[in-house]
Amino acid sequence: MFDGFWNETFQMHAMLFCTINDFLAYGNLSSYSVKGHHACPICEEDTSYIQLKHGRKTVYTRHRRFLNPHHPYRRLKKAFNGSQEHEIVPIPLTGE
């Protein structure tokens, strides 16, 4: 860093402790790709998505699998994509 008052450079050590942000800012801070077919940092290769037919948008589906196994939203068909959700939560990555 440069100190304008003393006209000298010095080495600064900094740490980002805590943030509250949206998903796109999370990608910028962590250098993780939050776009594309494998955008979920928890699901990775198991990210569920569909590509819209009349557009180039990717829609991420199966979010209900993160709910409690007996949650009533898991059984709703009409309000979602026409099917019930029976999948379980994927095992989070460990970083290894």
Side-chain angles (χ1 to χ4, degrees):
M1 294 292 296
F2 179 75
D3 186 345
F5 183 76
W6 296 103
N7 284 332
E8 61 184 27
T9 59
F10 64 96
Q11 187 174 7
M12 177 185 279
H13 299 275
M15 179 179 77
L16 182 61
F17 179 67
C18 182
T19 63
I20 298 174
N21 49 344
D22 63 358
F23 199 58
L24 295 175
Y26 163 74
N28 290 336
L29 288 172
S30 65
S31 298
Y32 186 83
S33 176
V34 293
K35 298 174 183 168
H37 294 161
H38 303 294
C40 180
I42 297 171
C43 303
E44 284 280 332
E45 300 294 325
D46 195 32
T47 301
S48 178
Y49 65 90
I50 57 171
Q51 196 79 27
L52 295 181
K53 291 180 183 178
H54 300 291
R56 294 190 314 221
K57 296 215 180 246
T58 303
V59 180
Y60 303 101
T61 57
R62 291 183 28 217
H63 291 86
R64 293 179 289 163
R65 64 183 166 166
F66 292 96
L67 294 172
N68 183 320
H70 301 291
H71 196 282
Y73 281 7
R74 282 181 164 255
R75 292 188 306 271
L76 288 180
K77 291 181 181 180
K78 196 173 184 180
F80 294 98
N81 60 353
S83 65
Q84 292 183 351
E85 183 61 60
H86 300 289
E87 295 286 329
I88 59 171
V89 178
I91 299 170
L93 300 173
T94 63
E96 292 181 10

